[in-house]
Amino acid sequence: MFGLMDGFLKNDSISLQKDILDHVEFTVARSRFNFDDFEAYQALAHSVRDRLIERWHDTHQYFKKKDPKRIYFLSLEFLMGRSLTNSVINLGIQDQYADALTQLGFDFEVLAEQEGDAALGNGGLARLAACQMDSLATLDYPAWGYGLRYQYGLFRQIIVDGFQHEQPDFWLNFGNPWEIERVHVSYPVKFYGTLKEEVLNGKKCKIWIPGESVEAVAYDNPIPGYGTRNAINLRLWAAKPSDQYDMESYTTGDYINAIVSRQKAETISNVLYPDDRSYQGKELRLKQQYFFVSASLQDIIRRFKDLHRNFDEFPEKVALQINDTHPSISIAEVMRMLVDEEHLDWSKAWDIACRIFSVTIHAVQPEGLEKIPVDLLGNVLPRHLEIIYEINHRLMEELKKSFGQDYDKLSRMSIIEEGAVKSIRMANLSLACCHTVNGVSRVHLETLKTRVFKDFYELWPQKFQCKTNGVTQRRWIVVSNPSLCSIISKWLGTEAWIRNVDLIAGLREYAKDPDLHTEWKNMKRVNKMRLAEYIETLTSVKVSLDAMFDVQIKRIHEYKRQLLNILGIIHRYDCIKNMDESDKRRVVPRVCIIGGKAAPGYEVAKKIIKLCHAVADKVNNDPDVGDLLKVVFIPDYNVSVAELVIPGSDLSQHLSTAGHEASGTGCMKFLMNGCLLLATADGSAVEIAEEIGAENMFLFGAKVDEVPALREKGTTLKGSLQFARVVRMVRDGYFGFKDYFKSLCDNVEDGGDFYLLGYDFASYLEAQAAADRAFVDQEKWTQMSILSTAGSGKFSSDRTIEEYAEQSWGIEPCKCPF
Ligand SMILES: CCc1ccc([C@H](C)CC(=O)N[C@@H]2O[C@H](CO)[C@@H](O)[C@H](O)[C@H]2O)cc1
């Protein structure tokens, strides 16, 4: 019965029909007798939004009444994707809506396709934040997400002649029904300016006279939990010109300038940085980080002060989670607010900061850690630089007590990095303050302890915790794979697994059951058909459903080794070309699907995308090969494309050089959908093998602890003959663009091969051959597929969030009763 009577809004089909038509007329402002699919979608979305708002209000009224300790999740990126289907499923009224639309002559699925993705993030870190918001809501935790409302999300990837081109993603073009503009929730955010000292009631204190002020306006995005009344809030800030400026210029009649400077203010939250590699220490990036941090902290402290006077209680009521070091300027901002504005003394303020902050690191390589040039920080945020110097001074004093004059260690642990460009190490600032430092997989945490943050681990081992990533089964099974969802509920005899995914292990006892096998294979075939249609529409390549759908979809990076996949495809193609008809009859047909965006300035990654297209053109048009091998690059990979591709995949590839993928979360989504994994023993793949049994996946390649030594060997490391042959084919222009691909070949030969493609090639081909052998035995394969789903419970973001809540944040669920 849950969902029928929401609050005041009724959820029976008739009421829904009425509400939708009312929104057509009064929100979309189209006649209720003549509106198209997009307008129907907008009206539908607004009717769902009404029900989200109702729950949002009840939840926040209840939080206000109970005043529980809250968790504030600060992230510069949230990759939300589409909201419609997920919202109606979490509200528990999907069937009612499907019926209401049918009555109105529309198909829910068709309207759902009208929605664009909210792509306010780059990749893993950003999508993880979105999955975690869904779990925080579903588990009834009193949580808030804070981020930036970019006008332009992650660029759209357009492929022209095999080359990636970026197009701006103006996703707000037709408005956004899933957000509520809170014009009254706005805060001034200051930049630049100077500092002066003043004596206030006998105490010397610093006054920051800012040079510029921008207004931060809140946009609220209700996040509904599944199977609960709770709906929490994702508050995204947009920059608006603050009006204090204009008066000045108006008097001088210099109107245009006024408008231009007003425009400038808005640029802060305009565009998402599309590069998930290193940090270029850009001024706008720093201003984005401080802008959302300052607005969020003003909002958090305002909410605390509504009910509390004494900041001693602050750590009892507030936990602050920073998603990687991107929001770590918040540490200096909390110190500035507590010392300069609340007039707490330094050590009190620092004690509070150390009790409220925790950080999760998502990078593995030290060079991936963020550093901000001192000059830049000193110019944009002069008071914060001063505060960070003070924090570092006190840290160095403390370290000297433990390590005496060990200057190497002191300089490694210093927040200030001397050198050509004097910089602030935001990771060291985070480690000095945060009570918990999380790794995102067990292997990753080991690397942080033994390599990246070795000195800090030896000093504060208790701070280092593992929170292996997870993904939400609501979006990655219930929303994206409804036929699998009903099979699981049928065989488990309950839907309770959707809120308590450990129950999914109950499928294990049926792993050999022929009836389940039949249903399972049929489910996979239905999803493969949908994917095949999508591929044909997009690329006009016809693919056979009997082939193995072999998928690698993720951001394009050298360390993720899409190039290894492509060289493996060239090897497979070359083998088929040299086969006689009888041999060809034993080939397991493959459709190799690759998808992912390359950071705009990442030339090597862009060359890999082009090579993939060049190989596809050759292979897909070679009559000798026919349906035995097809290569498809899926353009503009995003959350919605993932929801279509993952359920239709047989095999997924996770090829990172061991020690380079902090965790990986795509692999978890494939696992939940019964897609077998071919992977290196890196990141979360190691824990997946423990959960499902290594015999149910295809592991290959050098291990994490072998890689450093192998790299030492460098030049002596010879790739296999097959490896040399396929690289030779590319180098000789077999796929054209000889000169353009030369550097790709140079990178993996002559002792370069930093990512060990040559070394791992032989075992990679063996793993691929093992996958072929397994696929031929469809009952064996289906059993492995069922055991994959059955063993995926650990990799739910519900488990991850429960660990954060208990081991790091110290928060309790606060379930809205009515
Ligand atoms: C622009 C700078 C920048 C740099 C790094 C990043 C992210 C940290 C990169 C990222 O998404 N890392 C991935 O995080 C996932 C979630 O924890 C992990 O599963 C992946 O292994 C990790 O690569 C974003 C933006």
Side-chain angles (χ1 to χ4, degrees):
M1 294 319 293
F2 129 70
L4 256 182
M5 181 57 186
D6 209 309
F8 302 99
L9 295 167
K10 296 187 186 49
N11 295 327
D12 60 281
S13 176
I14 302 298
S15 310
L16 295 177
Q17 291 173 50
K18 185 178 167 314
D19 291 359
I20 293 168
L21 289 177
D22 284 354
H23 277 298
V24 167
E25 189 118 17
F26 306 119
T27 307
V28 184
R30 298 286 297 173
S31 124
R32 61 180 58 220
F33 305 106
N34 160 21
F35 52 99
D36 64 19
D37 283 359
F38 184 68
E39 287 143 356
Y41 157 71
Q42 287 181 301
L44 169 60
H46 277 90
S47 75
V48 175
R49 168 192 148 119
D50 298 343
R51 286 149 178 84
L52 293 174
I53 291 171
E54 203 174 37
R55 289 170 181 228
W56 192 88
H57 283 147
D58 296 348
T59 305
H60 288 85
Q61 290 312 319
Y62 190 67
F63 287 172
K64 206 172 182 71
K65 183 156 151 278
K66 302 300 279 184
D67 187 28
K69 179 177 183 180
R70 291 169 172 89
I71 174 64
Y72 294 107
F73 189 93
L74 274 63
S75 180
L76 208 59
E77 303 184 25
F78 288 93
L79 205 41
M80 303 303 284
R82 289 172 171 158
S83 292
L84 177 66
T85 310
N86 185 80
S87 298
V88 295
I89 282 175
N90 280 19
L91 290 169
I93 49 181
Q94 184 183 19
D95 301 344
Q96 293 92 323
Y97 264 112
D99 180 70
L101 286 166
T102 310
Q103 304 303 328
L104 295 172
F106 288 95
D107 174 74
F108 186 91
E109 297 305 324
V110 172
L111 297 191
E113 289 295 316
Q114 301 288 322
E115 181 178 1
D117 271 33
L120 307 184
N122 278 282
L125 166 143
R127 180 57 230 178
L128 179 81
C131 283
Q132 292 181 334
M133 288 300 288
D134 178 80
S135 290
L136 282 163
T138 300
L139 298 171
D140 301 315
Y141 285 113
W144 287 69
Y146 280 110
L148 265 181
R149 179 182 182 265
Y150 301 105
Q151 296 243 339
Y152 294 89
L154 186 62
F155 63 87
R156 312 301 300 272
Q157 179 190 54
I158 312 296
I159 301 291
V160 181
D161 300 338
F163 290 98
Q164 169 181 299
H165 294 268
E166 298 84 30
Q167 229 175 38
D169 169 40
F170 191 42
W171 68 294
L172 294 165
N173 223 353
F174 301 102
N176 172 17
W178 304 108
E179 67 180 6
I180 299 125
E181 181 177 11
R182 300 286 189 200
V183 284
H184 305 305
V185 180
S186 72
Y187 301 94
V189 178
K190 321 269 191 234
F191 295 102
Y192 308 112
T194 56
L195 304 174
K196 72 178 170 43
E197 215 152 60
E198 268 182 18
V199 180
L200 220 63
N201 39 20
K203 246 173 47 167
K204 260 192 309 113
C205 63
K206 280 284 167 33
I207 306 298
W208 175 25
I209 299 115
E212 180 183 304
S213 176
V214 174
E215 202 66 13
V217 175
Y219 286 75
D220 288 343
N221 301 262
I223 309 289
Y226 177 92
T228 172
R229 187 155 185 72
N230 282 35
I232 61 175
N233 193 25
L234 172 57
R235 180 161 278 181
L236 301 179
W237 302 101
K240 308 281 178 190
S242 67
D243 48 15
Q244 57 180 246
Y245 268 96
D246 307 322
M247 304 327 283
E248 175 53 36
S249 47
Y250 275 130
T251 46
T252 55
D254 176 4
Y255 180 66
I256 301 299
N257 275 349
I259 296 299
V260 172
S261 71
R262 292 172 69 81
Q263 271 349 70
K264 208 158 77 51
E266 282 172 358
T267 57
I268 287 181
S269 60
N270 257 0
V271 62
L272 166 77
Y273 267 85
D275 187 336
D276 62 352
R277 290 174 302 160
S278 62
Y279 306 89
Q280 297 85 11
K282 291 271 187 310
E283 179 162 334
L284 177 57
R285 170 103 177 158
L286 174 60
K287 290 179 81 174
Q288 288 186 338
Q289 293 175 344
Y290 179 66
F291 173 76
F292 101 96
V293 157
S294 170
S296 304
L297 287 171
Q298 291 182 68
D299 198 40
I300 291 166
I301 288 181
R302 189 261 313 151
R303 189 171 301 109
F304 171 77
K305 288 171 102 171
D306 285 355
L307 299 169
H308 304 270
R309 282 283 151 270
N310 182 340
F311 271 91
D312 292 351
E313 296 162 34
F314 200 62
E316 262 87 67
K317 293 298 178 183
V318 172
L320 274 168
Q321 171 70 28
I322 52 178
N323 202 18
D324 212 281
T325 60
H326 310 162
S328 55
I329 192 70
S330 51
I331 293 166
E333 177 66 356
V334 162
M335 289 304 287
R336 185 188 69 79
M337 296 170 91
L338 295 182
V339 173
D340 295 2
E341 296 176 358
E342 305 297 336
H343 307 299
L344 274 63
D345 68 39
W346 182 276
S347 52
K348 182 122 193 87
W350 183 247
D351 172 61
I352 289 172
C354 293
R355 291 168 55 201
I356 63 175
F357 275 108
S358 54
V359 63
T360 295
I361 304 293
H362 301 265
V364 179
Q365 307 306 320
E367 56 277 4
L369 299 173
E370 193 173 23
K371 280 179 268 193
I372 300 179
V374 162
D375 301 352
L376 171 64
L377 189 64
N379 173 34
V380 176
L381 300 169
R383 179 59 178 141
H384 297 77
L385 178 61
E386 213 172 45
I387 287 170
I388 290 172
Y389 273 135
E390 181 62 24
I391 292 172
N392 191 54
H393 169 69
R394 290 168 184 254
L395 173 68
M396 290 298 118
E397 291 310 305
E398 188 190 338
L399 294 182
K400 281 179 193 148
K401 289 190 205 115
S402 320
F403 305 119
Q405 310 307 321
D406 178 344
Y407 287 105
D408 288 355
K409 187 186 275 284
L410 291 181
S411 70
R412 285 197 304 269
M413 297 179 80
S414 172
I415 298 169
I416 317 299
E417 179 176 288
E418 305 301 336
V421 182
K422 196 171 179 180
S423 304
I424 306 293
R425 295 170 171 150
M426 300 313 274
N428 290 20
L429 172 64
S430 305
L431 267 78
C433 176
C434 294
H435 57 76
T436 308
V437 178
N438 299 294
V440 290
S441 75
R442 215 176 51 236
V443 170
H444 179 224
L445 182 66
E446 259 340 282
T447 308
L448 296 182
K449 287 176 174 178
T450 56
R451 222 156 31 82
V452 185
F453 300 130
K454 188 169 181 301
D455 299 306
F456 287 98
Y457 174 64
E458 280 157 5
L459 179 64
W460 298 315
Q462 77 289 351
K463 286 192 176 189
F464 288 77
Q465 295 184 10
C466 177
K467 304 284 184 318
T468 297
N469 284 160
V471 300
T472 171
Q473 65 272 18
R474 267 79 60 187
R475 183 174 291 267
W476 297 108
I477 298 182
V478 185
V479 171
S480 55
N481 197 343
S483 48
L484 172 61
C485 180
S486 38
I487 288 176
I488 297 171
S489 299
K490 174 188 169 199
W491 284 80
L492 294 181
T494 171
E495 291 190 342
W497 63 274
I498 300 176
R499 277 178 63 84
N500 174 0
V501 75
D502 294 343
L503 295 171
I504 210 168
L507 287 174
R508 283 203 174 106
E509 67 177 283
Y510 306 109
K512 290 192 171 62
D513 185 298
D515 295 341
L516 176 55
H517 277 220
T518 309
E519 291 178 29
W520 201 268
K521 283 187 285 184
N522 187 36
M523 169 272 289
K524 187 56 77 174
R525 195 166 185 85
V526 170
N527 291 320
K528 285 176 78 170
M529 213 176 298
R530 209 156 142 254
L531 176 51
E533 280 156 16
Y534 182 74
I535 288 172
E536 186 168 357
T537 317
L538 232 64
T539 68
S540 65
V541 175
K542 272 188 182 327
V543 297
S544 147
L545 298 184
D546 303 322
M548 181 201 295
F549 281 21
D550 156 359
V551 176
Q552 186 183 24
I553 46 176
K554 50 190 75 205
R555 288 294 295 255
I556 311 293
H557 270 282
E558 288 162 277
Y559 86 80
K560 292 176 184 281
R561 298 200 295 187
Q562 281 87 359
L563 183 55
L564 182 63
N565 186 346
I566 297 166
L567 294 175
I569 291 169
I570 295 173
H571 174 77
R572 181 177 289 271
Y573 172 59
D574 186 39
C575 291
I576 293 170
K577 288 289 283 180
N578 300 306
M579 278 179 188
D580 59 27
E581 287 316 309
S582 64
D583 288 345
K584 281 185 183 175
R585 271 192 290 284
R586 276 195 301 283
V587 169
V588 176
R590 285 266 182 130
V591 176
C592 299
I593 299 166
I594 296 176
K597 293 173 179 176
Y602 194 176
E603 270 320 305
V604 178
K606 287 186 159 181
K607 285 192 177 188
I608 290 169
I609 292 175
K610 175 58 186 174
L611 178 62
C612 181
H613 285 88
V615 171
D617 289 351
K618 185 93 174 176
V619 171
N620 297 345
N621 302 301
D622 186 330
D624 290 353
V625 173
D627 271 352
L628 292 180
L629 183 58
K630 290 292 181 204
V631 182
V632 174
F633 185 90
I634 294 206
D636 204 27
Y637 171 64
N638 61 17
V639 173
S640 300
V641 173
E643 289 176 21
L644 179 86
V645 172
I646 291 173
S649 308
D650 294 308
L651 181 79
S652 66
Q653 301 198 42
H654 312 276
L655 311 178
S656 57
T657 309
H660 283 263
E661 192 69 84
S663 163
T665 46
C667 50
M668 297 166 180
K669 298 158 191 171
F670 284 106
L671 189 72
M672 280 184 173
N673 282 273
C675 173
L676 303 194
L677 308 185
L678 187 149
T680 51
D682 194 16
S684 58
V686 173
E687 289 161 73
I688 290 174
E690 283 166 12
E691 290 297 310
I692 72 171
E695 71 282 4
N696 288 308
M697 57 195 287
F698 308 101
L699 288 169
F700 78 99
K703 298 283 183 293
V704 173
D705 51 11
E706 294 168 345
V707 169
L710 286 168
R711 282 205 173 121
E712 293 308 307
K713 285 219 194 88
T715 49
T716 59
L717 264 185
K718 274 272 159 287
S720 61
L721 278 181
Q722 292 113 321
F723 185 71
R725 178 173 168 72
V726 291
V727 175
R728 167 65 46 203
M729 289 168 76
V730 176
R731 198 185 278 289
D732 294 353
Y734 192 87
F735 303 98
F737 307 92
K738 195 171 169 178
D739 305 341
Y740 182 71
F741 295 140
K742 181 177 179 311
S743 61
L744 285 183
C745 301
D746 297 345
N747 289 349
V748 297
E749 283 191 322
D750 328 335
D753 204 8
F754 179 77
Y755 293 104
L756 301 179
L757 281 79
Y759 181 86
D760 276 350
F761 197 62
S763 67
Y764 175 60
L765 294 184
E766 272 153 36
Q768 287 286 17
D772 280 340
R773 288 194 298 277
F775 193 71
V776 171
D777 174 351
Q778 276 296 299
E779 297 327 306
K780 171 99 180 95
W781 187 275
T782 306
Q783 182 186 323
M784 294 167 79
S785 174
I786 294 167
L787 291 173
S788 296
T789 301
S792 67
K794 172 183 176 176
F795 305 102
S796 166
S797 44
D798 295 356
R799 185 266 317 148
T800 311
I801 287 297
E802 268 156 359
E803 287 179 356
Y804 272 103
E806 283 144 25
Q807 299 163 24
S808 187
W809 302 332
I811 60 169
E812 303 288 329
C814 182
K815 186 175 183 58
C816 181
F818 37 82

